[in-house]
Amino acid sequence: MTLLALGINHRTATVEVREQVAFNPAQLEMALCELRSLPQVKEAAVLSTCNRTELYCVTEPQGEAAVLDWLGRFHGLPVSDLTTCAYHYLDNDAARHLMRVAVGLDSMVLGEPQILGQLKDAYQSSREARGLGKELECLFQHTFAVAKQVRTETGIGRNPVSVAYAAVSLASRIFDDFGRARALLIGAGETIELVARHLVEAGVRQLTVANRTRERAELLAGGLGGRAIALDEIPDALVEADIVISSTAAPLPIIGKGMVERALKKRRHRPIFMVDIAVPRDIEPEVGKLSDIFLYSVDDLQEVIEENRRHRQVAADQAESLIEHGVGAWLHERRIRSGGELIHDFRSRGESLRDLSLEQALARLGRGEDPEAVVRRLAHQLTNRLLHRPTVALREAASVERHDLLEAAGALLLDAATDKTR
């Protein structure tokens, strides 16, 4: 059997294609059932996120064509549309790919941690749908162990690489206790929403969102336990704010030097940390010259991000090494498991022949035949039955000059027989 990883991701397909190939939660059980019912597929798991859709299967050799055909049929897409953007990996490469996905090495943001949780959800869904067998179960368990080791032994997830997270990271250098800090966010777009979530996760409990459209500010602030204000209320809000982060599409600055000076007087010069993510800028550059103001621009954040990217790349190189060890361990266990199945089948056949010969011998004893003759017949009959198939196989191997099989048989059969007689 072959281990197969087949899918598309943000590197190979546009968002329009990814949307069409994604599986929503309501489809997963049916999809796994259909995929598992393909004649070529023995085990199956589905990972579907906004950036990737991947199928992990245990298939018959060359099973990737059948899996790709099914993916197209399930979503009503011509296979030709998928062929140009789909990739597939087999056996060791498939295991390596899954482990790289799990630790964020294949993500849009290097080292992002969310993908591991999504992968664990995919594993659980596949398990509940009875899509997993011994092969995929073993692979996922190895993958989770490697991911834990990478997170523990490298710094791949410790350094922020997004503008929103970098802004919060800079704020943490100024404030030891986020629980006491009060934050004013200006704007209500995607970046500010991410900033707000990072701040709340970091411990900020007092959050104010100012926006041109108050309803949009209320929607964002309400979901995080904050309050919403209009832009003309910013001067009063500045007096209470310890952290100010702004990202709007305004053509002119929203916060001027005079506004901040008045706020500082009322604050009795308690410092304010300010980050201006907007282009063009929301905060006049002259504000940064004021005492007790720590003003950072989007360029300052880019420096933080690049520095952290370098740190993450070093960690990524360490992660690649750990993954190689993980693939090796998985392969070793796979070989042992494969050998165990062969040993089980071989012993089962031997035990069946033994039971048949023993049953016949007991029947002869029951008929009153000479015990010594019965035992001698049993030994002769059992030897012939156990050696018949190996003998025929050896003759066939010799007839076609399969020296590799003959040498292997000599190592297995003759060495084993020699050990038994010692």
Side-chain angles (χ1 to χ4, degrees):
M1 301 302 294
T2 299
L3 175 64
L4 167 69
L6 181 148
I8 65 170
N9 64 19
H10 57 282
R11 291 191 180 90
T12 67
T14 63
V15 66
E16 289 79 16
V17 174
R18 298 201 305 274
E19 287 173 343
Q20 294 180 74
V21 181
F23 294 89
N24 63 53
Q27 293 176 312
L28 262 182
E29 185 175 355
M30 180 174 65
L32 283 164
C33 182
E34 285 189 19
L35 183 56
R36 178 66 179 78
S37 67
L38 295 177
Q40 299 88 347
V41 176
K42 305 305 177 186
E43 302 177 35
V46 174
L47 172 64
S48 187
T49 72
C50 58
N51 284 332
R52 71 180 66 246
T53 292
E54 293 183 337
L55 312 176
Y56 293 90
C57 305
V58 176
T59 73
E60 294 179 354
Q62 287 81 51
E64 56 269 22
V67 173
L68 187 62
D69 286 344
W70 172 83
L71 183 62
R73 286 199 309 274
F74 188 91
H75 292 291
L77 294 172
V79 177
S80 57
D81 290 356
L82 296 177
T83 303
T84 56
C85 57
Y87 49 81
H88 73 271
Y89 301 96
L90 303 177
D91 295 325
N92 293 9
D93 292 333
R96 183 179 295 105
H97 176 72
L98 178 59
M99 292 179 192
R100 295 187 80 253
V101 168
V103 301
L105 293 182
D106 196 57
S107 296
M108 185 177 293
V109 177
L110 181 65
E112 59 94 4
Q114 289 83 7
I115 186 63
L116 180 58
Q118 292 167 329
L119 188 59
K120 287 182 177 179
D121 290 342
Y123 161 78
Q124 190 60 37
S125 296
S126 300
R127 195 176 189 187
E128 291 172 359
R130 298 182 180 179
L132 302 183
K134 290 182 180 179
E135 189 75 22
L136 285 184
E137 179 70 35
C138 178
L139 174 62
F140 275 102
Q141 293 304 327
H142 267 285
T143 296
F144 296 148
V146 168
K148 181 179 179 180
Q149 185 183 15
V150 168
R151 293 286 167 186
T152 302
E153 298 183 13
T154 76
I156 194 165
R158 295 174 196 157
N159 299 292
V161 291
S162 70
V163 169
Y165 203 7
V168 176
S169 177
L170 278 175
S172 68
R173 301 179 185 181
I174 308 298
F175 300 95
D176 294 330
D177 185 4
F178 267 157
R180 297 180 181 178
R182 291 166 292 190
L184 169 63
L185 306 182
I186 304 172
E190 182 178 345
T191 300
I192 287 295
E193 182 176 355
L194 287 173
V195 169
R197 294 189 185 282
H198 288 317
L199 284 171
V200 170
E201 289 171 3
V204 171
R205 293 192 288 270
Q206 299 183 58
L207 195 70
T208 300
V209 180
N211 192 52
R212 181 177 57 83
T213 306
R214 192 179 186 123
E215 291 77 13
R216 179 74 182 97
E218 289 174 347
L219 183 63
L220 173 56
L224 296 171
R227 70 185 183 102
I229 63 173
L231 293 182
D232 59 8
E233 297 177 78
I234 288 177
D236 292 332
L238 272 177
V239 177
E240 303 298 326
D242 303 305
I243 299 169
V244 178
I245 301 177
S246 186
S247 177
T248 75
L252 296 172
I254 294 172
I255 296 177
K257 184 180 177 182
M259 183 191 299
V260 177
E261 284 178 322
R262 289 188 290 274
L264 283 173
K265 287 179 181 179
K266 293 180 180 179
R267 288 174 58 85
R268 297 184 180 181
H269 293 278
R270 282 182 290 117
I272 303 176
F273 170 81
M274 309 181 84
V275 181
D276 188 353
I277 304 176
V279 179
R281 285 179 281 191
D282 285 338
I283 303 173
E284 288 182 350
E286 290 76 15
V287 171
K289 298 177 182 179
L290 295 174
S291 299
D292 305 313
I293 294 295
F294 299 88
L295 176 61
Y296 294 87
S297 70
V298 69
D299 289 341
D300 297 321
L301 294 185
Q302 288 302 326
E303 291 178 11
V304 174
I305 291 169
E306 287 305 316
E307 179 185 354
N308 289 345
R309 275 207 186 101
R310 287 192 291 271
H311 287 306
R312 281 203 175 187
Q313 189 55 57
V314 171
D317 294 339
Q318 296 170 342
E320 294 282 12
S321 177
L322 293 174
I323 286 171
E324 287 307 312
H325 285 292
V327 172
W330 167 79
L331 181 59
H332 177 70
E333 186 169 321
R334 190 188 197 199
R335 287 168 176 164
I336 292 175
R337 192 167 61 253
S338 176
E341 292 171 359
L342 176 61
I343 291 168
H344 177 269
D345 292 344
F346 181 70
R347 290 187 66 88
S348 294
R349 178 176 172 275
E351 289 167 358
S352 296
L353 294 175
R354 176 203 64 196
D355 293 343
L356 176 61
S357 297
L358 180 61
E359 183 181 341
Q360 292 174 344
L362 291 173
R364 291 190 181 92
L365 288 173
R367 292 195 296 268
E369 294 185 19
D370 178 46
E372 183 177 346
V374 171
V375 171
R376 290 183 180 279
R377 182 180 178 85
L378 170 63
H380 178 74
Q381 191 177 59
L382 185 56
T383 300
N384 283 341
R385 284 173 172 170
L386 289 173
L387 296 181
H388 174 68
R389 286 192 178 179
T391 300
V392 171
L394 285 171
R395 285 173 177 166
E396 290 178 353
S399 69
V400 293
E401 297 184 339
R402 286 293 306 275
H403 300 296
D404 56 332
L405 288 180
L406 294 173
E407 289 178 7
L412 289 170
L413 301 178
L414 297 181
D415 287 355
T418 302
D419 289 342
K420 289 290 185 181
T421 59
R422 289 176 181 171

